[in-house]
Amino acid sequence: MVVLINTRQSPRFSDKKRPREEEEEEEEEEEEKEEEERQLAMAASVAPPQFDQITSDAARAGAKAYLQSRLAPPSSTPAQPFTIPTIDLGPSFSGSAAARAEVARQIHEACTTSGFFTITNHGIPADVTRGVLRQAQRFFHELPPARKQALHMRHSALHRGYEPAAYTSIDGSAETKEGFNWGYEERLRPASFADTYDGGYVELDGQRYDDGTGNLWPSEEDLPGFFDAVKEYYGEAMGLARHLMGLFGLALGLGEGWFDKSMTHPGGIARLLYYPPGKPEQEQSKQDIGLGAHSDYECFTILLPSGTPGLEVLSPAGQWTPVERVDGGLIVNIADFLMRWTNDLYKSTVHRVVNRTGEARYSVPLFFSINYDEVVETLPSCVTPSNPAKYPPIRAGEYVLERLNTSTAGGKGSYGNTDWLDEKKSSKNRETV
Ligand SMILES: O=C(O)CCC(=O)C(=O)O
Ligand SMILES: [Fe+2]
């Protein structure tokens, strides 16, 4: 059991402010407002990253409409049992094809009903999961505010770095969570990729930043050991994700190796999340949402939660259902690519986080994607004359980027941030010449 202590003093409980502090706060707000305006002006004048104009436009238009459609109140679906099963993944690592097929069968059942399941015996050592949760705590509470601001997501065209509270808004409500986001880079390559990685990793926008220029890390000096602990968990989780993709292939009757060709340089965005202590149910308002209702974008998500509850899943009957924590378990949820491949057979279920406890909550999701330059197109086996493909083909990276862009408060996305990234890349190149 991980015990995480919130060392941060909530502003709600702070003493009455002195005028000097108020002045400083006002100045800060003014600066933030100016920065916001500057970003909006840039957003209007800088073109979105070009990769494949046709699918890029479609992804952007589709992303917004899609999110709205998933958030619409459900039709008159009658209440039905809605369970989030726990699946013992242990037998799936055995040499027995029958044992692996049985695990795949259980996965198939979960994916066609709730779209969520908890896995146990997943193979990630407890000290590694404890280690990364500990780093989340350090990042949010030990890194000085100025250092966090230097890693602000507004400096990234790829939504990487530090995300302060209320910076993103996926269903229109301001969110109380803070985050730290990163994606794949060469330094993170797990040993388990040795036989499968082809060296061709490209980012969401189809470009190469695998030398690390796409990410924003705290320095080793500021947080000693942070990078190594995060890398260790990330490597384990990426390896587990590849294993799960084999099981999804099996579950869909395609074979364990079906997705291998699309995982030669897979994408995997991960983040550390911090949800400040919340209020009891009766005092909650819309402002207290930790993370607004949404579906995830990629193949599936592997979520490592701390001991504090808060994750809720929307059932087909429109009921928010809490996900029970299973000791040592990881939560897996289907995301949009698997829903699109399977023409809605697998459910990319809407979920949200509300911390109703007086304790801080932390979590570490990994959003596993196929190669970002691959196209996701409905599987022929999931299409019939009476059930034609519901979704047009989309390029993986573009789709994720457009969904991320629509989630930034004000909808301006990261378009205004490309100059900064180009500058960072060219100065890095200058250093290495
Ligand atoms: O923190 C959690 O429990 C869920 C996080 C999540 O849904 C997400 O980051 O997409
Ligand atoms: Fe999510």
Side-chain angles (χ1 to χ4, degrees), residues 271 273 275 291 294 296 303 311 351 353 361 363 365 367:
R271 52 188 188 166
L273 292 175
Y275 301 89
L291 170 57
H294 67 284
D296 293 347
L303 179 84
L311 178 60
H351 52 285
V353 177
R361 177 175 199 272
S363 69
F367 308 103

